[in-house]
Amino acid sequence: MIPRPFAYHAPDTLQAVIALLSEHGDQAKLLAGGHSLLPMMKLRFAAPDHLIDLRRVKELCGIVMSGDEIHIGAMTTEHDIVASALLAEHLPLLVETARQIADPQVRYKGTIGGDVSHGDPGNDHPAVMLALGASFVLVGPNGERIVPAADFFLGTYATAMEPDEVMTQIRIRKAAAGSGASYAKLKRKTGDYATAAAAVVLRLEGGVCAEVSIALTNVAPAAMRADAAEASLMGKTVDDAAIAEAGRHAMEACEPAADLRGDEEYKRAMAGQMVERALRAALLRCAA
Amino acid sequence: MAKKTAVSFTLNGSTVDVLVEPRELLIHTLRDKLAHTGPHIGCETTHCGACTVDLDGQSVKSCTILTVQCEETQVLTIEGFAKGGQLHALQEGFMQEHGLQCGFCTPGMITRAYRLLQEIPDPTEEEIRYWMAGNLCRCTGYQNIIKAIQYAARKLRGEVVETSHPLMAEVSL
């Protein structure tokens, strides 16, 4: 399986990337880790005329603390995320998520920016970004803009990113003191996308739920928040009954498509189960 | 559009120059242009790990890397493991523990295990299972593969290992 012919570019600077995007626009695709794009190109689901490889653009890499935010370069790999001491301390949810993505070889190449901006509802970071309230720095010919995750995921392979823009950075507030988070993912085998997965961030005050966000992977055309499930928990003790109720609300909210991973009913049920699992794990971590 | 590009990289310690179309995958360059047929084509969909090579200190699936992405990189394949007629500890481990049946997945397994042991010299069985999960074997089950990696880990850490394999016994004489 070999992709259709294309012209390959490997610019050194962000400026050069923008110039190439301005010239070739929707005829071009950005190549980050390539582990979503190249398989699509090999299967001829994607056939860009121009491929712009971001590997030489050093300013797109790295994880740094900036005030109470963590800034992650879009070209930071899943392997770097798994190994990051900074993230382990301040955003362990990202490490837990990256550990469940694909397999070791893929994690060396796959990038967080690629995962987020590809627009595949099966990708894991989008739901996590929604749950964490992340924002994305997009740079185009007219400069930089910052888009919150809540406004970014529009549908299957559709995001708020314009064809002449590149995602440079992901910004996330570090985890609040006393909060707990978890990403629960059901997959058929190593390397597979989620049958269903749920990202949860939870904070308690006086034993009751003061803040919660719940987002789902691969059970709708794009990653989605489970608003009703969140609302059902607010102000309540997070006990078995409340967790089960949140799971039911999440099941009602999702719109899974039947495929080889299961029919609608099964995927809906698994979305509920993943919400329950993630809530239980997040709750334990709140107490810790 | 399909104009060929000259790409230079280091393959098992030697510089190689190839002329490729941008769409050529590293696995094809290695096998067809450079006669390195150790990395195997298995699934072609980034799942099985048979095509695993080491690229700049990272295990990668060479069916999902364009050769043009390898300019100025260091590539290590299974052909680079044995030195001066001596098998690498991992190759010895796979023989000793019988970590294979048909052998199709073995070059990828060994290449991946090499990087794993660079990063975690003393892995637990659980760690081996987690960090080797990108390599599939359809015949043995994984128990002997794990034993083979543990054998190599001990040898590479300088511990005394004993081999009962008849061919290995000859080699070590």
Side-chain angles (χ1 to χ4, degrees):
Chain A
M1 288 187 289
I2 298 170
R4 284 175 64 85
F6 53 83
Y8 173 81
H9 311 267
D12 295 316
T13 64
L14 190 55
Q15 212 180 357
V17 174
I18 306 290
L20 282 163
L21 278 177
S22 301
E23 189 181 343
H24 302 296
D26 48 13
Q27 309 295 306
K29 274 287 198 186
L30 293 169
L31 178 66
H35 277 52
S36 293
L37 181 59
L38 288 179
M40 286 176 79
M41 289 170 64
K42 284 162 65 176
L43 293 166
R44 310 284 174 112
F45 292 147
D49 290 333
H50 295 268
L51 201 57
I52 305 171
D53 189 348
L54 298 175
R55 73 189 170 96
R56 290 194 166 132
V57 188
K58 295 294 171 228
E59 59 204 288
L60 297 180
C61 294
I63 306 171
V64 294
M65 188 80 113
S66 172
D68 66 348
E69 277 188 339
I70 293 174
H71 294 180
I72 304 169
M75 284 292 284
T76 303
T77 65
E78 307 298 354
H79 181 80
D80 292 336
I81 290 170
V82 170
S84 166
L86 188 71
L87 290 178
E89 187 179 349
H90 296 291
L91 270 179
L93 176 60
L94 269 195
V95 179
E96 186 185 33
T97 303
R99 282 184 64 99
Q100 297 179 71
I101 293 175
D103 62 45
Q105 283 95 317
V106 175
R107 289 192 293 265
Y108 279 113
K109 296 304 289 182
T111 63
I112 186 167
D115 185 291
V116 166
S117 57
H118 187 52
D120 187 334
N123 281 359
D124 294 293
H125 283 301
V128 174
M129 297 294 122
L130 287 174
L132 287 168
S135 53
F136 309 130
V137 182
L138 307 181
V139 179
N142 302 320
E144 174 182 301
R145 64 187 180 117
I146 295 174
V147 178
D151 300 330
F152 187 78
F153 304 105
L154 306 180
T156 304
Y157 301 118
T159 69
M161 208 161 108
E162 298 294 334
D164 57 0
E165 285 183 314
V166 54
M167 181 178 289
T168 58
Q169 200 180 66
I170 289 151
R171 297 181 176 174
I172 309 173
R173 258 203 333 274
K174 69 176 185 181
S179 66
S182 176
Y183 188 64
K185 175 177 178 178
L186 177 71
K187 52 183 181 178
R188 296 175 302 177
K189 56 176 271 293
T190 292
D192 195 13
Y193 293 99
T195 302
V200 164
V201 180
L202 178 68
R203 191 173 62 80
L204 304 179
E205 252 174 47
V208 300
C209 172
E211 266 181 70
V212 65
S213 50
I214 301 174
L216 305 174
T217 295
N218 218 11
V219 286
M224 58 175 278
R225 283 284 281 269
D227 303 316
E230 294 172 0
S232 77
L233 285 163
M234 288 298 288
K236 280 196 203 152
T237 306
V238 185
D239 55 16
D240 286 349
I243 288 172
E245 194 190 339
R248 279 194 299 275
H249 283 293
M251 281 171 61
E252 283 167 20
C254 66
E255 319 162 38
D259 61 18
L260 291 172
R261 292 184 189 87
D263 58 22
E264 279 181 44
E265 193 185 5
Y266 174 68
K267 287 183 166 185
R268 197 181 292 278
M270 290 307 104
Q273 288 299 311
M274 292 306 110
V275 166
E276 291 193 29
R277 268 188 211 174
L279 273 168
R280 283 180 209 286
L283 184 65
L284 284 174
R285 290 165 188 172
C286 281
Chain B
M1 197 161 71
K3 211 171 118 185
K4 289 195 174 177
T5 307
V7 180
S8 300
F9 57 93
T10 306
L11 177 58
N12 298 327
S14 306
T15 304
V16 294
D17 301 296
V18 287
L19 206 55
V20 296
E21 270 189 68
R23 63 176 173 160
E24 186 166 316
L25 300 164
L26 178 60
I27 184 70
H28 298 304
T29 305
L30 291 172
R31 292 178 60 86
D32 302 343
K33 293 210 164 86
L34 298 168
H36 280 54
T37 53
H40 289 164
I41 298 172
C43 68
E44 290 198 82
T45 54
T46 334
H47 281 99
C48 79
C51 66
T52 297
V53 302
D54 199 79
L55 177 70
D56 278 346
Q58 301 185 329
S59 304
V60 298
K61 294 181 180 175
S62 59
C63 75
T64 311
I65 303 281
L66 300 168
T67 305
V68 286
Q69 292 176 278
C70 300
E71 175 70 22
E72 291 172 19
T73 61
Q74 303 269 341
V75 178
L76 173 69
T77 68
I78 189 68
E79 286 87 350
F81 276 74
K83 293 274 190 304
Q86 284 286 330
L87 293 184
H88 187 274
L90 273 160
Q91 293 169 310
E92 190 182 314
F94 273 72
M95 279 181 80
Q96 165 62 28
E97 300 297 340
H98 201 78
L100 66 153
Q101 276 185 38
C102 84
F104 192 84
C105 71
T106 310
M109 286 280 178
I110 288 178
T111 314
R112 170 60 198 140
Y114 167 77
R115 184 50 51 194
L116 161 61
L117 294 181
Q118 299 284 308
E119 293 178 357
I120 310 174
D122 190 6
T124 62
E125 179 177 335
E126 193 187 348
E127 284 172 322
I128 293 173
R129 287 181 184 276
Y130 179 75
W131 293 106
M132 290 297 294
N135 293 72
L136 305 182
C137 165
R138 306 205 306 181
C139 20
T140 72
Y142 296 95
Q143 199 55 45
N144 286 354
I145 292 169
I146 290 163
K147 284 186 194 164
I149 295 169
Q150 287 170 326
Y151 174 101
R154 285 196 301 275
K155 184 163 182 183
L156 291 170
R157 290 199 307 269
E159 292 176 22
V160 177
V161 288
E162 280 181 20
T163 173
S164 56
H165 195 286
L167 294 176
M168 290 311 305
E170 277 173 34
V171 169
S172 44
L173 282 175

